[in-house]
Amino acid sequence: MFAPVAALASGGVVGLVLGLIGGGGSILAVPLLLYAVGMPSAHIAIGTAAVAVAVNAAAGLALHARKAPIRWPCAIVFSLAGVGGAFAGAAFGKAVDGQKLVALFGVLMVVVGLMMLRPKDKGGRTSAWLTRENAAHMLPRLVLLGAGVGLLSGFFGIGGGFLIVPGLILATDMKLEDATSASLVAVTAFGLSAATSYAWSGLVDWNVAGLLIAGGVAGALAGTKANAILARRKGALTMLFAVFVILAGLYVGGRGLFDLLQG
């Protein structure tokens, strides 16, 4: 497939998944850039994907902020703690051999798929705001978990929403829907941090990033409309996608390991 068309189509796939099931699509960006678009290295694919992740998350954040209040204090503390981790993770990622990075990314995809298969707890939570009264209890958790998630996000150049959401729930006892909205603050911050680090090293293909974003917008619009039609089947769609991510992760990890052994 011609590279520009492949980049647009890849963005469309990512956006479609995000619009259809509300998350997980960005995990496909790096494999699509490597194997569909044909990017020359894992590092350039990760840097380029990070740009698209940051832009898409910022757009999603704007939409969520208009619909419902976001737990800004918790989200900001978590994000600020994770930005340093994201920069450190990006530095580590750039220092790792590309084939090793691909193999590790495959492992990550399998983990993400398995996490998506787990039932989500939606009840029994208070979604407390960060206040002076609970800061002594909540701040250390937000900082520690934010830094850890930011490190992984920067290393792999992904938004990390699949880790940010449970991290926010664990730190603050948020409801799932509140954690999902607040996570977009961190996804934007972490994606921007990783993108900045990779761009500084010349590891971003801006033309492909633009096409990926444009395709993502179109895909997200289509996915959102499809979501309204298939709302009752969202659980089944999420499970199907999770299985696909696991299988894709096994392929990506196996191919990266094979290339590593061949080298």
Side-chain angles (χ1 to χ4, degrees):
M1 188 183 295
F2 187 50
V5 177
L8 273 172
S10 297
V13 170
V14 172
L16 180 67
V17 172
L18 288 171
L20 192 58
I21 67 174
S26 61
I27 195 71
L28 298 178
V30 171
L32 284 169
L33 288 174
L34 282 172
Y35 304 126
V37 180
M39 304 220 77
S41 76
H43 295 105
I44 296 177
I46 288 174
T48 303
V51 173
V53 166
V55 173
N56 289 337
L61 175 61
L63 293 174
H64 275 260
R66 292 177 60 184
K67 293 180 180 179
I70 291 176
R71 299 311 198 252
W72 287 106
C74 295
I76 290 172
V77 171
F78 191 95
S79 301
L80 289 176
V83 163
F87 274 112
F92 291 149
K94 288 184 291 185
V96 173
D97 176 78
Q99 299 306 329
K100 289 182 180 178
L101 205 53
V102 171
L104 289 171
F105 198 92
V107 173
L108 176 71
M109 292 183 73
V110 174
V111 172
V112 171
L114 291 173
M115 290 183 68
M116 292 180 72
L117 289 174
R118 294 178 60 189
K120 296 179 179 179
D121 177 18
K122 297 184 179 181
R125 301 188 180 279
T126 58
S127 281
W129 289 74
L130 178 63
T131 64
R132 291 182 180 180
E133 288 73 23
N134 62 24
H137 168 73
M138 196 177 288
L139 270 177
R141 293 186 177 186
L142 283 167
V143 171
L144 183 62
L145 289 166
V149 173
L151 184 70
L152 289 173
S153 178
F155 183 80
F156 289 108
I158 57 173
F162 67 96
L163 286 174
I164 294 171
V165 171
L168 284 168
I169 291 174
L170 183 61
T172 67
D173 205 35
M174 279 189 187
K175 294 178 182 177
L176 177 63
E177 57 268 28
D178 292 332
T180 300
S181 296
S183 72
L184 291 171
V185 179
V187 173
T188 303
F190 298 168
L192 186 60
S193 300
T196 300
S197 178
Y198 275 85
W200 184 262
S201 300
L203 295 172
V204 172
D205 187 321
W206 294 102
N207 291 328
V208 172
L211 291 169
L212 196 66
I213 292 167
V217 171
L221 291 174
T224 301
K225 291 181 179 180
N227 178 271
I229 299 172
L230 301 172
R232 294 183 179 180
R233 299 182 180 179
K234 185 175 179 180
L237 289 171
T238 300
M239 184 174 295
L240 183 63
F241 178 70
V243 172
F244 171 76
V245 169
I246 292 171
L247 294 175
L250 292 172
Y251 170 78
V252 171
R255 181 162 174 173
L257 182 61
F258 176 79
D259 292 341
L260 183 63
L261 294 174
Q262 290 293 104

